[in-house]
Amino acid sequence: MGDHGENHRVRIRVGEVSRVIHTDLLAAIAAFGLPNASTAIPGIPLAPVQWRRLVEDTAAARLSGHLVEAIDSGAFAVTPEQARQAAELHRKLTWRVLRLERRLLEVAGLLDALGVEMRVLKGPALARTCYPKVSSRTFADVDVLVPADRFDEAVAALADAGCARPLPQLREGFDRRFGKNATFVGLDSLQVDVHRTFVVGPYGLLITLEDLFATHEPFVLGGRTLKALGTEEQFLNACYHAALGDVPPQLSALRDVAQMVLGAKLDADRARGLAEAWRGTAVLARGVALTWRTLRLSEEPPLAVWARRFTPTRRDQRLLSCYVSANRSNSLKYLASARVIPGTGAKLAYLRGLLLPDRAFLARRRVAHGAWWHRGAMGLLGRERLAEGSTELRSLVRSEENESA
Amino acid sequence: MIKVRDGAAVWREIDGETILLALKTSVYLGLNQTGTILWEAMIEGSTSDDLTDLLVAQFAIDRGDAAADVTSFVERCRAHGLLE
């Protein structure tokens, strides 16, 4: 080999090392208390700068419950002042959680009065159905799922109750047929998401929505019995959130997945059967594999082994890339969505919603139709992907023609 | 019978203490370990005597003191609309 001077030497800047350690530490906190957590937690208190950053990121990642438990158990060495700060942070976030739970009871009351079936999603339900200690799981908003055919009623009820919807739907009836959720914000800044399905895009559209209301798991909040999704449906919701949500994934979502896989209630075969029926097996596998990898969990139950060995089909690779690749974008999700919507009429209605949004939607976005299309073409697709998008559209039109024929 | 009213509050236990939001008055209340023990018993429903017995058994205190603590606690909960 030739002499390349100093170039061959590995260089790691101090900041990079710090970032790696910080990421590992957050993952270790997210995994704290799981029987197979393998990432070490510091045996000596962090320096003030590192500690401040950890507290901020713990709050953002909704991991304060696990942080406090790690400290209280003695696993995470802290100074007395750091212990006080951690407890104070968790107490502050818990106050907000209680306000959110009050809002959840209000929403439940509204929908109950209308006779609209509801399932509580994510935080409030998971805290009470999956975690040994309710206080471990905090959350930042309320998510409820309603049947698609009652979606408009539920949305109207929240609007009538004074909740503001910052962004209206694209066209009348669009969300009921194709949307993921409607977001509402109260005057107190508390957010409620009324869901029709788990995620935006093709994987959300492929879920058999009736399945989500076929079973439920009850839990009690403030003396009132509410319904969470059934155990496996709830688990799949966590997997969809972990696998297709933020990049990098939210650590609290990964913890939810691990908590359920390692819990006693989950029927892994039923979960795989449901995922297969929803054509979401790749999502399930990605959610579980990502959890084991990111949280560095040691022993693998059969579901984790299966997930690690799973190879997505080319179709799934294409769909997953809409959500998680470096080129991910809403435009690719929209195009992929159009492909999975069954029936020509429904496909056209979907595309019409995207291409010809209502004036109310555009006004709220402060764009004209022309600007919306321009943004769709250049902003959402991106210049470098315009050709790719055009090819997708042509292909879609061809498949429509074939379907019509 | 002393019982927490359904829909009166939402609460979470943190480190042996309970943080509680009274839904009628929108007041946050913090219950210490003693209050948490009484609150948990009141969720299921209990009598003053049973609550007093709980405190005596838990903290080995004088029964008269325990009864006074229970009365005071129950009155404050009632003032916040938390009880049936």
Side-chain angles (χ1 to χ4, degrees), chain A residues 132-204:
Chain A
K133 285 173 70 178
V134 174
S135 64
S136 303
R137 182 63 163 85
T138 61
F139 46 90
D141 59 9
V142 165
D143 298 271
V144 298
L145 179 86
V146 298
D149 62 349
R150 309 296 301 272
F151 186 82
D152 289 342
E153 279 176 85
V155 164
L158 261 76
D160 289 346
C163 292
R165 187 176 180 185
L167 194 61
Q169 60 184 334
L170 279 158
R171 281 181 77 89
E172 184 75 27
F174 186 89
D175 282 355
R176 173 170 43 81
R177 296 183 73 181
F178 310 115
K180 173 201 167 198
N181 72 293
T183 294
F184 288 90
V185 182
L187 290 173
D188 48 13
S189 81
L190 298 180
Q191 183 176 315
V192 177
D193 288 343
V194 179
H195 286 253
R196 177 189 159 279
T197 184
F198 290 167
V199 290
V200 73
Y203 281 119

Side-chain angles (χ1 to χ4, degrees), chain A residues 99 102 106, chain B residues 5 7-10 20-29 39 75-83:
Chain A
R99 290 170 61 210
R102 173 170 65 176
E106 291 167 355
Chain B
R5 187 168 57 79
V10 286
L20 183 152
L21 173 60
L23 300 186
K24 192 174 174 184
T25 56
S26 293
V27 169
Y28 287 107
L29 300 169
W39 180 257
E75 280 174 5
R76 291 175 68 183
C77 287
R78 209 175 289 286
H80 286 287
L82 298 174
L83 303 181

Side-chain angles (χ1 to χ4, degrees), chain A residues 215-288:
Chain A
T215 60
H216 74 272
E217 188 170 354
F219 67 95
V220 176
L221 175 64
R224 179 175 179 154
T225 302
L226 300 175
K227 293 176 180 175
L229 294 168
T231 303
E232 288 74 32
E233 291 84 352
Q234 193 168 213
F235 170 63
L236 288 173
N237 186 21
C239 287
Y240 275 64
H241 191 207
L244 307 176
D246 296 343
V247 179
Q250 284 183 19
L251 290 170
S252 61
L254 302 181
R255 172 60 188 251
D256 292 339
V257 171
Q259 192 73 36
M260 282 186 272
V261 171
L262 297 169
K265 290 191 293 187
L266 184 72
D267 180 340
D269 290 338
R270 182 169 182 268
R272 284 178 61 176
L274 275 172
E276 194 176 337
W278 301 347
R279 289 189 270 169
T281 302
V283 182
L284 164 62
R286 179 177 158 77
V288 174

Side-chain angles (χ1 to χ4, degrees), chain A residues 364-383:
Chain A
R364 195 65 69 87
R365 286 263 177 146
R366 296 181 180 171
V367 291
H369 265 124
W372 173 251
W373 293 331
H374 180 77
R375 186 180 296 182
M378 307 304 286
L380 291 178
L381 278 175
R383 288 169 194 275

Side-chain angles (χ1 to χ4, degrees), chain A residues 83-124:
Chain A
R84 190 197 64 75
Q85 288 174 2
E88 183 59 30
L89 169 72
H90 189 45
R91 189 172 292 262
K92 191 174 155 189
L93 294 175
T94 300
W95 285 339
R96 183 176 169 82
V97 162
L98 292 179
R99 290 170 61 210
L100 286 162
E101 290 185 334
R102 173 170 65 176
R103 179 57 40 81
L104 172 59
L105 288 173
E106 291 167 355
V107 171
L110 277 175
L111 298 182
D112 199 33
L114 287 172
V116 175
E117 187 84 349
M118 181 189 94
R119 295 288 183 271
V120 181
L121 303 178
K122 301 182 188 174

